[in-house]
Amino acid sequence: MGQPVLDESPIGARVPMVDSAGKVTGKGIYADDMTLPGTLTGKILHSPHAHARILSIDTSAAESLPGVKAVVTGRETPVKYGILPVGHDETIFATDKVRYVGDNVAGVAAESAEIAEEALRLIKVEYEVLPAWFDPEKSMLAESNLIHEEKPHNIEKDYHHHFGDVEKGFEAADYIREDRFFCPEVTHAALEPHSTLAQYDSEADAITVWSSTQVPYYLKLNLASTLQMPEEKVRVIKPLVGGGFGGKSEVIPLELAAAVLARMARQPVKITYSREEVFYAHRGRPGQIVALKTGMTREGRLTAVEARIIQDGGAYCSYGVVTILYSGQLLNAMYEIPNVKFDGYRVLTNKPACGAMRGHGTVNTRFAFEQQLNRMASVLGIDPMEIRRRNLLKPPCMTVNSLRVLSYGLPECIDEVEERSGWREKHGKLPYGKGIGIAGSHYVSGAANAIIRSGAPHTTVNLSIDSDGIVTIFTGASEIGQGSDTLQVQVVAAELGIGLDRVKIVAADTARTPIDLGSYSSRVTFMAGNAAIAAARDAKNKILTAAAAKMATTPENLLIEGNQVTCRDDRRLSMRFADAVRLAIVDGAETLEATGSYRPPPEATGGKFKGGGVGPSPAYSYCAQTAEVTVDPETGQVTVDRLIAAHDCGKAINPICVEGQVIGSVWMGLGQAVQEEMMWRNGRLMNPGLLEYRSASTLESPPIDAIIVESNDPEGPFGAKEAGEGSLAATIPAVTHAIYDAVGVWIDTLPITPEKVLKAIDEKRKSEIWKSEARSQN
Amino acid sequence: MIAGGTDLLPSMKQGLFAPRVLIDLKGLRELDFIRFDARRGLEIGALTTISALANSQVVAREFPVLHEAAKTVASPLLRNMGTLGGNLCLDTRCLYYNQSEFWRGSLGGCIKKDGAVCHVAPGSDTCWAAFSGDTAPALLALEATVELAGPRGRREIPLAELYVNDGLVRLTKAADEMVTAVRVPAANAGWLGTYRKLRIRQSIDYPLAGVAVVMRKRADGSCAQARIGLTAVNPMPRLVTASDRLAGQAYSAALVEDVAREAIRVGKPLKTSASTMEYRRQMIQVFVRRALTDLWRSAN
Ligand SMILES: Cc1cc2nc3c(=O)[nH]c(=O)nc-3n(C[C@H](O)[C@H](O)[C@H](O)COP(=O)(O)OP(=O)(O)OC[C@H]3O[C@@H](n4cnc5c(N)ncnc54)[C@H](O)[C@@H]3O)c2cc1C
């Protein structure tokens, strides 16, 4: 489908996403839609125990079942892997122990799903069940039966940061508050379950994998290491992805399992997780306990913050070390806090591994912080909008923990939601049962330091322009529904001055596209966007230099506009873009090649302290949000009536995408606020399905107004920053704040079930009766 | 037997049933009807879809409680497929039962399926899985009867007698009998009625508790008669007999509260779902109170 040719720059234009047609018509191809001749079905045998030693595995009966083409266990897959270099603690299949209900024990490839399932039933595993750890606070005290022998006390990692002097900060405070917050584990619940198709070429000893992934490049590296194959023998292709939200931002067991099985069977193998298996693969947001202490002056100026954070990480490291660091490091870069102390513990438990999920690491801490801020504002009698204004950063600046902030639209975001929500007429003035609340949040526009540290660029974009002037972008960046492809097309078209219909894109195929680290930490717009600009500038340079020679002028005197190369000082002199390209194509070549890459500036890469590398970003997005609710005081039922989110994305290159991302983030935050929770009993997930894991239905989804604030980041592509995650966290404390405004209770434990609200209302009533009785007796 | 399959098929996928033969009832078009006659009352064929029931004007006018209950079943798509017969014969539900084969196997099963223990009431020799259909409490309150057909012919029994308060047995009907029709006596037409359902999401979710209330009022506004049906808080839907206390009485908040308190003695939810039993019981009280108050104080 052709894109409209625009008279004006495509930057800021509401153009439909380049891959939307197939998604709407159902013709789009996702991993599970694909089959190759002879494709087998792969299935995985999961552990029924939370913690057990594997004594023996007998696969002989499964192997001799007709139709079974391969059976594999941990014996054949001993290589450890993990997304972080410090966290290589997984193997494709368990080698010695299983560590959660659902852990991977063996794999089967067979001619049909039924045969594969039957084969799984025939695999006999002898276990020695071990005592298991489910509660992170108890797990931290473990002396024996450790989940990983090399991790004493089941602590994956702990960090202790102290910036400024919190003792002094609390001394300077007029009001100090301490609260404890608990956010249970939640998961991404992407619509598309993970799916991988793997094909082994025995002649070339090479493997090709089509997978629902956000990180084709890391998948390639991990396939090479676990299959013990050279990297150049591994090719990863990402088809359309039906939502990731972080759940596909690292290597997921089925991806490796499909590849191993395909190599053994010498036939293509496809594995698609059941919804239940998606819950076991998990990598969602960890349960988190936040003990938070904040000090402020009478005027509401923050003097010190101290946070003790425990994350219930599950049985493997995954992104855990990064998650715990984000939870502390990003206490900063939102408001001016002179003194900050952070003690963070990432704890192992016998549950599926937690990983990265939209708003990675920041969400639960942000909920705690904003809630406490609102609480303190209400005690001090300061308007919650005002208390935020009193603590704004003054960019350009460097926070106490060395985060560099250049662009900062938070003040405008606050102004916008205050105005649009009718805050002054509503806050504290609505009838009992109705309330309005506010909160803020922020997020990185990509991590300034790559997972695997090196001086290499974080992303490279190549352009190939043919003699008809058609530009093809080659990018490793992964479109996962957020608009990665569309954005790069827009940016290249804008920079080259040509129509969107002249630009095509080839993305996320490791054999054809240059390296990009993946779609996580909201890095693509900023990083791939900048690389695309650099590539387009390279092309433009070459084209204008060639055209200038022909037109007897200088390249500086030329511009490209509306598919024409035109002289600035004599508009009558012009030539078609395609003709100029032809001039620039070097002899013997068919296309003009250009390239650009991006690496974050050294000033943005953070402090030199332990853990200082996580949190720094070239730019931060900001969000302020209001929520309006109705609370039924007899049932505790909370109805969220309206949410308004103002998001500073630097510059909205495509407002449709930005609004979609903001609305999606807010909606996801709402789910975590009011109804989502992974419920555990003895290490068993009680709700491994979408009926009992309750994401909001349309009926609980209120109107969400997305307001775009543009602070024009000096380093962002056309000023842009991230838009896909930063609005999520604010929803939760905005809703709890609105509940306080409605019925006078604070909910510190998520999700805000009617039951908790009702209990809080009852307790408040009782304590008020008690107080009034005490008063009348005096 | 399979009608709409909206209950049976998900359960089969979880390995709860592995029937060798399934008899598809959907072809029995003659059992897809809603008939009302002011003398004979209401008659609904077992293959009538929940959507048809929810959209029926005569049901909405004469039996508002049934109309409201039908509207809350599952989601629009499921209502298009689901039938009244299937809704009444719904399997009972429990967090330990409605799980995959892998999940249940990891716990060694439960008393209802492949195991010996009840995980919500250890030591119990009956099953506490909750009957979670929405139309049954409404039809109980309307004193409905069901017609059963089988190799031994047809018989008609009060709906209340279809159920057994044990998730293992569930229904009194024989395996070779099917529900063909449901009838509501003419005397119960035109009663005020309302259905209140506790659920986390306002669509899709099964009830965590459901309260159906019907009332006939006298010209002076006093209550001639009222009946209350409960669902999702026991292995079977049940009536709250304390509603008899309302007969002949003028509105009184104290009386309403009295009956609402009695209602929670009838509902005995165990931890079969995500919500706690305390909260589900509390909500029965609130819903009974609200429903009675609304009906009693409404204009007609
Ligand atoms: C996600 C989801 C949410 C749901 N939420 C609700 C809800 O909120 N409230 C609710 O009430 N239900 C709910 N349901 C269950 C179901 O959709 C409805 O109850 C529906 O009405 C069942 O009818 P059916 O025809 O599809 O039943 P089927 O699945 O065809 O049958 C159900 C059972 O009844 C038996 N049966 C069917 N017809 C007859 C007959 N004529 N005679 C004898 N036995 C028969 C079958 O053998 C089977 O055991 C939900 C289902 C799903 C999947």
Side-chain angles (χ1 to χ4, degrees), chain A residues 56-84:
Chain A
S56 68
I57 306 183
D58 179 359
T59 57
S60 52
E63 276 160 46
S64 51
L65 186 72
V68 171
K69 295 295 163 122
V71 180
V72 56
T73 69
R75 252 182 319 232
E76 289 93 356
T77 64
V79 181
K80 291 198 169 181
Y81 73 93
I83 185 69
L84 303 180

PDB file of all heavy atoms in Angstrom, chain A residues 56-84:
ATOM      1  N   SER A  56      16.945 -38.850  37.489  1.00  0.00           N
ATOM      2  CA  SER A  56      17.110 -39.543  36.218  1.00  0.00           C
ATOM      3  C   SER A  56      15.996 -39.140  35.274  1.00  0.00           C
ATOM      4  O   SER A  56      14.913 -38.729  35.704  1.00  0.00           O
ATOM      5  CB  SER A  56      17.056 -41.059  36.438  1.00  0.00           C
ATOM      6  OG  SER A  56      15.742 -41.417  36.821  1.00  0.00           O
ATOM      7  N   ILE A  57      16.298 -39.257  33.991  1.00  0.00           N
ATOM      8  CA  ILE A  57      15.280 -39.027  32.965  1.00  0.00           C
ATOM      9  C   ILE A  57      15.364 -40.183  31.989  1.00  0.00           C
ATOM     10  O   ILE A  57      16.438 -40.492  31.484  1.00  0.00           O
ATOM     11  CB  ILE A  57      15.511 -37.711  32.185  1.00  0.00           C
ATOM     12  CG1 ILE A  57      15.620 -36.518  33.138  1.00  0.00           C
ATOM     13  CG2 ILE A  57      14.374 -37.476  31.198  1.00  0.00           C
ATOM     14  CD1 ILE A  57      15.785 -35.185  32.430  1.00  0.00           C
ATOM     15  N   ASP A  58      14.212 -40.802  31.767  1.00  0.00           N
ATOM     16  CA  ASP A  58      14.181 -41.906  30.816  1.00  0.00           C
ATOM     17  C   ASP A  58      13.309 -41.494  29.632  1.00  0.00           C
ATOM     18  O   ASP A  58      12.093 -41.338  29.764  1.00  0.00           O
ATOM     19  CB  ASP A  58      13.610 -43.160  31.503  1.00  0.00           C
ATOM     20  CG  ASP A  58      13.524 -44.343  30.540  1.00  0.00           C
ATOM     21  OD1 ASP A  58      13.897 -44.166  29.347  1.00  0.00           O
ATOM     22  OD2 ASP A  58      13.074 -45.417  30.973  1.00  0.00           O
ATOM     23  N   THR A  59      13.937 -41.302  28.483  1.00  0.00           N
ATOM     24  CA  THR A  59      13.205 -40.846  27.310  1.00  0.00           C
ATOM     25  C   THR A  59      12.973 -41.970  26.305  1.00  0.00           C
ATOM     26  O   THR A  59      12.460 -41.730  25.216  1.00  0.00           O
ATOM     27  CB  THR A  59      13.975 -39.714  26.599  1.00  0.00           C
ATOM     28  OG1 THR A  59      15.281 -40.208  26.260  1.00  0.00           O
ATOM     29  CG2 THR A  59      14.124 -38.485  27.477  1.00  0.00           C
ATOM     30  N   SER A  60      13.345 -43.191  26.675  1.00  0.00           N
ATOM     31  CA  SER A  60      13.335 -44.258  25.655  1.00  0.00           C
ATOM     32  C   SER A  60      11.939 -44.514  25.085  1.00  0.00           C
ATOM     33  O   SER A  60      11.785 -44.659  23.876  1.00  0.00           O
ATOM     34  CB  SER A  60      13.931 -45.541  26.242  1.00  0.00           C
ATOM     35  OG  SER A  60      13.282 -45.848  27.456  1.00  0.00           O
ATOM     36  N   ALA A  61      10.936 -44.529  25.957  1.00  0.00           N
ATOM     37  CA  ALA A  61       9.582 -44.796  25.452  1.00  0.00           C
ATOM     38  C   ALA A  61       9.137 -43.681  24.510  1.00  0.00           C
ATOM     39  O   ALA A  61       8.498 -43.938  23.476  1.00  0.00           O
ATOM     40  CB  ALA A  61       8.609 -44.925  26.626  1.00  0.00           C
ATOM     41  N   ALA A  62       9.471 -42.460  24.855  1.00  0.00           N
ATOM     42  CA  ALA A  62       9.088 -41.329  23.997  1.00  0.00           C
ATOM     43  C   ALA A  62       9.781 -41.431  22.652  1.00  0.00           C
ATOM     44  O   ALA A  62       9.180 -41.203  21.595  1.00  0.00           O
ATOM     45  CB  ALA A  62       9.442 -40.011  24.677  1.00  0.00           C
ATOM     46  N   GLU A  63      11.054 -41.795  22.697  1.00  0.00           N
ATOM     47  CA  GLU A  63      11.820 -41.867  21.452  1.00  0.00           C
ATOM     48  C   GLU A  63      11.288 -42.924  20.506  1.00  0.00           C
ATOM     49  O   GLU A  63      11.344 -42.770  19.291  1.00  0.00           O
ATOM     50  CB  GLU A  63      13.294 -42.154  21.749  1.00  0.00           C
ATOM     51  CG  GLU A  63      14.058 -40.887  22.083  1.00  0.00           C
ATOM     52  CD  GLU A  63      15.349 -41.165  22.829  1.00  0.00           C
ATOM     53  OE1 GLU A  63      16.085 -42.075  22.413  1.00  0.00           O
ATOM     54  OE2 GLU A  63      15.591 -40.482  23.844  1.00  0.00           O
ATOM     55  N   SER A  64      10.761 -44.018  21.097  1.00  0.00           N
ATOM     56  CA  SER A  64      10.309 -45.075  20.198  1.00  0.00           C
ATOM     57  C   SER A  64       8.846 -44.905  19.780  1.00  0.00           C
ATOM     58  O   SER A  64       8.316 -45.722  19.035  1.00  0.00           O
ATOM     59  CB  SER A  64      10.553 -46.449  20.832  1.00  0.00           C
ATOM     60  OG  SER A  64      10.010 -46.468  22.117  1.00  0.00           O
ATOM     61  N   LEU A  65       8.202 -43.861  20.217  1.00  0.00           N
ATOM     62  CA  LEU A  65       6.826 -43.609  19.776  1.00  0.00           C
ATOM     63  C   LEU A  65       6.849 -43.203  18.297  1.00  0.00           C
ATOM     64  O   LEU A  65       7.577 -42.293  17.911  1.00  0.00           O
ATOM     65  CB  LEU A  65       6.216 -42.482  20.622  1.00  0.00           C
ATOM     66  CG  LEU A  65       4.732 -42.190  20.389  1.00  0.00           C
ATOM     67  CD1 LEU A  65       3.869 -43.316  20.956  1.00  0.00           C
ATOM     68  CD2 LEU A  65       4.351 -40.858  21.009  1.00  0.00           C
ATOM     69  N   PRO A  66       6.039 -43.903  17.474  1.00  0.00           N
ATOM     70  CA  PRO A  66       6.038 -43.551  16.047  1.00  0.00           C
ATOM     71  C   PRO A  66       5.646 -42.083  15.856  1.00  0.00           C
ATOM     72  O   PRO A  66       4.731 -41.588  16.513  1.00  0.00           O
ATOM     73  CB  PRO A  66       4.968 -44.477  15.456  1.00  0.00           C
ATOM     74  CG  PRO A  66       4.848 -45.601  16.440  1.00  0.00           C
ATOM     75  CD  PRO A  66       5.163 -45.030  17.789  1.00  0.00           C
ATOM     76  N   GLY A  67       6.368 -41.420  14.973  1.00  0.00           N
ATOM     77  CA  GLY A  67       6.075 -40.006  14.699  1.00  0.00           C
ATOM     78  C   GLY A  67       6.943 -39.045  15.474  1.00  0.00           C
ATOM     79  O   GLY A  67       6.953 -37.853  15.212  1.00  0.00           O
ATOM     80  N   VAL A  68       7.682 -39.587  16.454  1.00  0.00           N
ATOM     81  CA  VAL A  68       8.583 -38.731  17.223  1.00  0.00           C
ATOM     82  C   VAL A  68       9.913 -38.648  16.498  1.00  0.00           C
ATOM     83  O   VAL A  68      10.496 -39.670  16.133  1.00  0.00           O
ATOM     84  CB  VAL A  68       8.768 -39.272  18.657  1.00  0.00           C
ATOM     85  CG1 VAL A  68       9.887 -38.512  19.380  1.00  0.00           C
ATOM     86  CG2 VAL A  68       7.463 -39.176  19.424  1.00  0.00           C
ATOM     87  N   LYS A  69      10.401 -37.424  16.256  1.00  0.00           N
ATOM     88  CA  LYS A  69      11.617 -37.260  15.456  1.00  0.00           C
ATOM     89  C   LYS A  69      12.829 -36.817  16.285  1.00  0.00           C
ATOM     90  O   LYS A  69      13.963 -36.953  15.837  1.00  0.00           O
ATOM     91  CB  LYS A  69      11.371 -36.234  14.340  1.00  0.00           C
ATOM     92  CG  LYS A  69      10.336 -36.697  13.330  1.00  0.00           C
ATOM     93  CD  LYS A  69      10.844 -37.920  12.567  1.00  0.00           C
ATOM     94  CE  LYS A  69       9.735 -38.643  11.865  1.00  0.00           C
ATOM     95  NZ  LYS A  69       9.919 -38.748  10.442  1.00  0.00           N
ATOM     96  N   ALA A  70      12.567 -36.260  17.444  1.00  0.00           N
ATOM     97  CA  ALA A  70      13.694 -35.870  18.297  1.00  0.00           C
ATOM     98  C   ALA A  70      13.221 -35.700  19.723  1.00  0.00           C
ATOM     99  O   ALA A  70      12.102 -35.257  19.967  1.00  0.00           O
ATOM    100  CB  ALA A  70      14.326 -34.570  17.806  1.00  0.00           C
ATOM    101  N   VAL A  71      14.075 -36.109  20.646  1.00  0.00           N
ATOM    102  CA  VAL A  71      13.816 -35.901  22.069  1.00  0.00           C
ATOM    103  C   VAL A  71      15.110 -35.355  22.654  1.00  0.00           C
ATOM    104  O   VAL A  71      16.191 -35.887  22.376  1.00  0.00           O
ATOM    105  CB  VAL A  71      13.433 -37.215  22.788  1.00  0.00           C
ATOM    106  CG1 VAL A  71      13.166 -36.953  24.262  1.00  0.00           C
ATOM    107  CG2 VAL A  71      12.214 -37.856  22.136  1.00  0.00           C
ATOM    108  N   VAL A  72      15.005 -34.309  23.420  1.00  0.00           N
ATOM    109  CA  VAL A  72      16.230 -33.702  23.937  1.00  0.00           C
ATOM    110  C   VAL A  72      16.063 -33.363  25.419  1.00  0.00           C
ATOM    111  O   VAL A  72      14.973 -32.993  25.867  1.00  0.00           O
ATOM    112  CB  VAL A  72      16.633 -32.459  23.097  1.00  0.00           C
ATOM    113  CG1 VAL A  72      15.516 -31.437  23.048  1.00  0.00           C
ATOM    114  CG2 VAL A  72      17.911 -31.823  23.617  1.00  0.00           C
ATOM    115  N   THR A  73      17.126 -33.529  26.184  1.00  0.00           N
ATOM    116  CA  THR A  73      17.114 -33.171  27.603  1.00  0.00           C
ATOM    117  C   THR A  73      18.348 -32.320  27.896  1.00  0.00           C
ATOM    118  O   THR A  73      19.160 -32.063  27.006  1.00  0.00           O
ATOM    119  CB  THR A  73      17.160 -34.411  28.509  1.00  0.00           C
ATOM    120  OG1 THR A  73      18.459 -35.014  28.368  1.00  0.00           O
ATOM    121  CG2 THR A  73      16.086 -35.412  28.168  1.00  0.00           C
ATOM    122  N   GLY A  74      18.482 -31.954  29.140  1.00  0.00           N
ATOM    123  CA  GLY A  74      19.588 -31.108  29.548  1.00  0.00           C
ATOM    124  C   GLY A  74      20.966 -31.689  29.281  1.00  0.00           C
ATOM    125  O   GLY A  74      21.944 -30.951  29.171  1.00  0.00           O
ATOM    126  N   ARG A  75      21.050 -33.006  29.190  1.00  0.00           N
ATOM    127  CA  ARG A  75      22.339 -33.628  28.896  1.00  0.00           C
ATOM    128  C   ARG A  75      22.950 -33.068  27.615  1.00  0.00           C
ATOM    129  O   ARG A  75      24.135 -32.861  27.503  1.00  0.00           O
ATOM    130  CB  ARG A  75      22.140 -35.136  28.714  1.00  0.00           C
ATOM    131  CG  ARG A  75      22.680 -35.967  29.865  1.00  0.00           C
ATOM    132  CD  ARG A  75      22.478 -37.436  29.536  1.00  0.00           C
ATOM    133  NE  ARG A  75      21.142 -37.590  28.917  1.00  0.00           N
ATOM    134  CZ  ARG A  75      20.220 -38.463  29.322  1.00  0.00           C
ATOM    135  NH1 ARG A  75      20.466 -39.259  30.300  1.00  0.00           N
ATOM    136  NH2 ARG A  75      19.047 -38.547  28.738  1.00  0.00           N
ATOM    137  N   GLU A  76      22.059 -32.821  26.624  1.00  0.00           N
ATOM    138  CA  GLU A  76      22.568 -32.329  25.333  1.00  0.00           C
ATOM    139  C   GLU A  76      22.677 -30.812  25.296  1.00  0.00           C
ATOM    140  O   GLU A  76      23.128 -30.259  24.307  1.00  0.00           O
ATOM    141  CB  GLU A  76      21.641 -32.785  24.188  1.00  0.00           C
ATOM    142  CG  GLU A  76      21.697 -34.261  23.876  1.00  0.00           C
ATOM    143  CD  GLU A  76      20.638 -35.084  24.633  1.00  0.00           C
ATOM    144  OE1 GLU A  76      19.897 -34.511  25.474  1.00  0.00           O
ATOM    145  OE2 GLU A  76      20.564 -36.275  24.410  1.00  0.00           O
ATOM    146  N   THR A  77      22.227 -30.139  26.332  1.00  0.00           N
ATOM    147  CA  THR A  77      22.222 -28.676  26.295  1.00  0.00           C
ATOM    148  C   THR A  77      22.874 -28.090  27.542  1.00  0.00           C
ATOM    149  O   THR A  77      22.222 -27.396  28.317  1.00  0.00           O
ATOM    150  CB  THR A  77      20.779 -28.141  26.196  1.00  0.00           C
ATOM    151  OG1 THR A  77      20.072 -28.525  27.391  1.00  0.00           O
ATOM    152  CG2 THR A  77      20.050 -28.672  24.986  1.00  0.00           C
ATOM    153  N   PRO A  78      24.165 -28.355  27.725  1.00  0.00           N
ATOM    154  CA  PRO A  78      24.790 -27.943  28.982  1.00  0.00           C
ATOM    155  C   PRO A  78      25.214 -26.469  29.037  1.00  0.00           C
ATOM    156  O   PRO A  78      25.526 -25.972  30.106  1.00  0.00           O
ATOM    157  CB  PRO A  78      26.038 -28.842  29.039  1.00  0.00           C
ATOM    158  CG  PRO A  78      26.381 -29.088  27.599  1.00  0.00           C
ATOM    159  CD  PRO A  78      25.085 -29.106  26.852  1.00  0.00           C
ATOM    160  N   VAL A  79      25.203 -25.768  27.905  1.00  0.00           N
ATOM    161  CA  VAL A  79      25.772 -24.410  27.905  1.00  0.00           C
ATOM    162  C   VAL A  79      24.842 -23.418  28.608  1.00  0.00           C
ATOM    163  O   VAL A  79      23.653 -23.352  28.308  1.00  0.00           O
ATOM    164  CB  VAL A  79      26.040 -23.911  26.464  1.00  0.00           C
ATOM    165  CG1 VAL A  79      26.662 -22.521  26.489  1.00  0.00           C
ATOM    166  CG2 VAL A  79      26.939 -24.900  25.739  1.00  0.00           C
ATOM    167  N   LYS A  80      25.418 -22.678  29.530  1.00  0.00           N
ATOM    168  CA  LYS A  80      24.610 -21.700  30.254  1.00  0.00           C
ATOM    169  C   LYS A  80      24.484 -20.412  29.457  1.00  0.00           C
ATOM    170  O   LYS A  80      25.402 -20.017  28.744  1.00  0.00           O
ATOM    171  CB  LYS A  80      25.246 -21.406  31.610  1.00  0.00           C
ATOM    172  CG  LYS A  80      25.147 -22.597  32.536  1.00  0.00           C
ATOM    173  CD  LYS A  80      25.364 -22.182  33.967  1.00  0.00           C
ATOM    174  CE  LYS A  80      24.976 -23.342  34.875  1.00  0.00           C
ATOM    175  NZ  LYS A  80      25.139 -22.990  36.283  1.00  0.00           N
ATOM    176  N   TYR A  81      23.348 -19.785  29.592  1.00  0.00           N
ATOM    177  CA  TYR A  81      23.129 -18.509  28.903  1.00  0.00           C
ATOM    178  C   TYR A  81      22.276 -17.620  29.773  1.00  0.00           C
ATOM    179  O   TYR A  81      21.759 -18.029  30.813  1.00  0.00           O
ATOM    180  CB  TYR A  81      22.450 -18.737  27.542  1.00  0.00           C
ATOM    181  CG  TYR A  81      20.985 -19.120  27.673  1.00  0.00           C
ATOM    182  CD1 TYR A  81      19.997 -18.148  27.622  1.00  0.00           C
ATOM    183  CD2 TYR A  81      20.607 -20.441  27.889  1.00  0.00           C
ATOM    184  CE1 TYR A  81      18.651 -18.496  27.783  1.00  0.00           C
ATOM    185  CE2 TYR A  81      19.273 -20.785  28.049  1.00  0.00           C
ATOM    186  CZ  TYR A  81      18.300 -19.798  27.989  1.00  0.00           C
ATOM    187  OH  TYR A  81      16.991 -20.132  28.152  1.00  0.00           O
ATOM    188  N   GLY A  82      22.117 -16.402  29.321  1.00  0.00           N
ATOM    189  CA  GLY A  82      21.267 -15.434  29.997  1.00  0.00           C
ATOM    190  C   GLY A  82      21.423 -14.128  29.259  1.00  0.00           C
ATOM    191  O   GLY A  82      22.400 -13.945  28.528  1.00  0.00           O
ATOM    192  N   ILE A  83      20.479 -13.223  29.432  1.00  0.00           N
ATOM    193  CA  ILE A  83      20.532 -11.970  28.680  1.00  0.00           C
ATOM    194  C   ILE A  83      21.684 -11.077  29.166  1.00  0.00           C
ATOM    195  O   ILE A  83      22.299 -10.377  28.379  1.00  0.00           O
ATOM    196  CB  ILE A  83      19.165 -11.231  28.707  1.00  0.00           C
ATOM    197  CG1 ILE A  83      19.179  -9.984  27.806  1.00  0.00           C
ATOM    198  CG2 ILE A  83      18.737 -10.857  30.103  1.00  0.00           C
ATOM    199  CD1 ILE A  83      19.240 -10.278  26.327  1.00  0.00           C
ATOM    200  N   LEU A  84      21.990 -11.134  30.457  1.00  0.00           N
ATOM    201  CA  LEU A  84      23.066 -10.292  30.972  1.00  0.00           C
ATOM    202  C   LEU A  84      24.359 -11.101  31.081  1.00  0.00           C
ATOM    203  O   LEU A  84      24.324 -12.253  31.524  1.00  0.00           O
ATOM    204  CB  LEU A  84      22.712  -9.751  32.366  1.00  0.00           C
ATOM    205  CG  LEU A  84      21.409  -8.952  32.475  1.00  0.00           C
ATOM    206  CD1 LEU A  84      21.215  -8.483  33.919  1.00  0.00           C
ATOM    207  CD2 LEU A  84      21.429  -7.764  31.528  1.00  0.00           C
TER     208      LEU A  84
END
